[in-house]
Amino acid sequence: MGIFKGRPVSILGSGMYVPDRILTNDDLEKIVDTNDEWIRTRTGIAERRVAADDQVTSDLAYLAAVEALKASNVSPEELNMVIVATNTPDTIFPAVAAKVQGRLSANNAGASDIQSGCTSSVYALSFAAAGIASCIWDKVLVIGAEVLTRLLNWEDRTTCVLFGDGAGAVVLGVSPDGKNRVLSTSLKSDGTKSDLIILPGGLVECPASVEMIEKKLHTIHMKGNEVFKFVNKVLPSFLEEFCRESGLSLGDVNWWVFHQANYRIIESVLKRLDISMDKAIVNIDKYGNTSAATVFLAFHEALVDGRIKKGDKVIFVSFGSGMTYGATLVEV
């Protein structure tokens, strides 16, 4: 748990990009043994976006970044760092962030990817804010971007119905008035549960081979029920403690921006905290689970449509492979 000290840090602007292609539940019925009712009742998802054949993660990240920079009135030359939260990089190296930094001509910026499951976005947001607060950087571009549909087993209805592609971005900088700032953060992990969400094949532990591909070890594997149980066991008490140590009651929070993994998870956690779903930003129905991109997509849409207003206290909450989880409190 950390309370941000030093220079006050604000979200200066946000942006997003999702591919044009929409894959509906009805479309999935044609390729896997599932149906719209089964998917909706278990996940809350109605459709998701799929990247074009010539699009990779850095393309989506770049387009979200351009929108965020425009909204924040920050030029690429002003950036000191580009951080991309992703679990589906174009390649292991070079980093997605380096490709985006180069494409933006952000000539004064460093670049790094953060890979920590779906919580990567909250980790990246926290790292960026800490760097600015401590005078390492002045302006940082943080992007969550994924092309998950390339890593799915389309014969496995328990996973292929869940994920979609997209990117969201925020620009962080020194608060111009000392208000509207990143207030606190808490980043956690339980590595004893690291087998719950995995992509086992293709790297050091299980190098590329014909056998690896035949066994589809190059695709996402998930123990869905175990993930559901873990999140419902860990998150409620974690969030209660996070708010308490941040000097807030649960009722002081205007908006909860959860990782959009499953509508039932969001509903169940908030119910345990006695918080109305009316305070949750939810867009999983349109985009599915976009992993490290979800919280930035949800935040941007709610900011643009006016639900999130200046001065609101917003908590970003995420959880993912590792099992990692975390929360960041922001006064918008």
Side-chain angles (χ1 to χ4, degrees):
M1 174 70 196
I3 304 294
F4 281 98
K5 299 179 181 178
R7 296 193 298 180
V9 182
S10 290
I11 295 178
L12 303 179
S14 64
M16 64 174 280
Y17 172 79
V18 291
D20 293 332
R21 182 186 170 192
I22 297 174
L23 183 68
T24 67
N25 292 344
D26 290 337
D27 293 330
L28 282 170
E29 285 186 30
K30 301 170 185 175
I31 59 176
V32 69
D33 181 20
T34 191
N35 60 67
D36 179 66
E37 182 183 4
W38 190 92
I39 298 170
R40 283 180 186 264
T41 56
R42 286 164 176 77
T43 70
I45 300 169
E47 58 188 41
R48 68 288 293 148
R49 299 300 178 100
V50 177
D53 292 342
D54 61 351
Q55 286 182 315
V56 290
T57 301
S58 60
D59 294 320
L60 276 58
Y62 169 78
L63 293 167
V66 169
E67 185 173 349
L69 288 167
K70 182 178 180 181
S72 60
N73 198 29
V74 170
S75 68
E77 293 79 12
E78 294 178 80
L79 295 173
N80 305 119
M81 192 68 184
V82 176
I83 302 176
V84 175
T86 186
N87 303 284
T88 56
D90 304 354
T91 55
I92 294 301
F93 49 86
V96 173
K99 296 172 77 171
V100 173
Q101 178 263 333
R103 192 167 171 184
L104 289 171
S105 297
N107 300 321
N108 298 310
S112 181
D113 287 357
I114 299 292
Q115 191 276 313
S116 195
C118 300
T119 322
S120 301
S121 49
V122 173
Y123 273 58
L125 185 65
S126 302
F127 296 165
I132 295 170
S134 60
C135 302
I136 297 174
W137 306 309
D138 291 325
K139 291 184 174 67
V140 180
L141 171 64
V142 180
I143 308 165
E146 304 282 11
V147 178
L148 291 149
T149 57
R150 302 269 171 84
L151 302 180
L152 297 177
N153 175 1
W154 291 98
E155 297 175 357
D156 178 10
R157 72 171 188 170
T158 65
T159 56
C160 75
V161 302
L162 300 176
F163 297 99
D165 304 333
V170 294
V171 177
L172 300 184
V174 179
S175 173
D177 57 6
K179 299 179 180 178
N180 313 111
R181 55 200 175 93
V182 182
L183 297 171
S184 59
T185 193
S186 183
L187 305 175
K188 303 286 187 180
S189 179
D190 182 354
T192 65
K193 303 291 193 302
S194 61
D195 64 332
L196 298 189
I197 308 171
I198 60 173
L199 197 156
L203 293 175
V204 176
E205 185 176 304
C206 181
S209 67
V210 172
E211 182 183 13
M212 181 209 75
I213 294 173
E214 288 175 346
K215 293 181 177 179
K216 298 189 183 297
L217 298 179
H218 60 301
T219 64
I220 296 170
H221 292 63
M222 183 168 67
K223 299 176 182 177
N225 289 335
E226 294 303 310
V227 172
F228 188 91
K229 291 175 185 177
F230 174 83
V231 174
N232 276 282
K233 178 181 178 181
V234 169
L235 274 194
S237 59
F238 165 71
L239 291 172
E240 284 181 321
E241 181 181 9
F242 175 68
C243 285
R244 184 171 59 254
E245 294 188 358
S246 298
L248 295 176
S249 70
L250 293 169
D252 291 331
V253 181
N254 299 104
W255 293 104
W256 298 81
V257 181
F258 271 82
H259 167 45
Q260 308 288 301
N262 186 308
Y263 183 89
R264 290 196 304 155
I265 288 178
I266 301 172
E267 185 179 46
S268 177
V269 171
L270 289 182
K271 185 176 180 180
R272 288 168 182 258
L273 295 173
D274 196 27
I275 296 170
S276 170
M277 276 295 290
D278 292 339
K279 285 195 170 186
I281 305 297
V282 178
N283 62 2
I284 190 173
D285 56 316
K286 296 188 294 182
Y287 306 123
N289 181 350
T290 56
S291 189
T294 67
V295 294
F296 293 149
L297 288 174
F299 174 76
H300 176 74
E301 286 198 329
L303 197 62
V304 169
D305 68 24
R307 278 176 290 171
I308 295 178
K309 298 177 173 59
K310 190 174 179 64
D312 281 354
K313 289 182 173 61
V314 176
I315 291 184
F316 293 86
V317 184
S318 196
F319 52 89
S321 177
M323 289 289 292
T324 60
Y325 55 104
T328 300
L329 170 63
V330 178
E331 182 181 83
V332 179

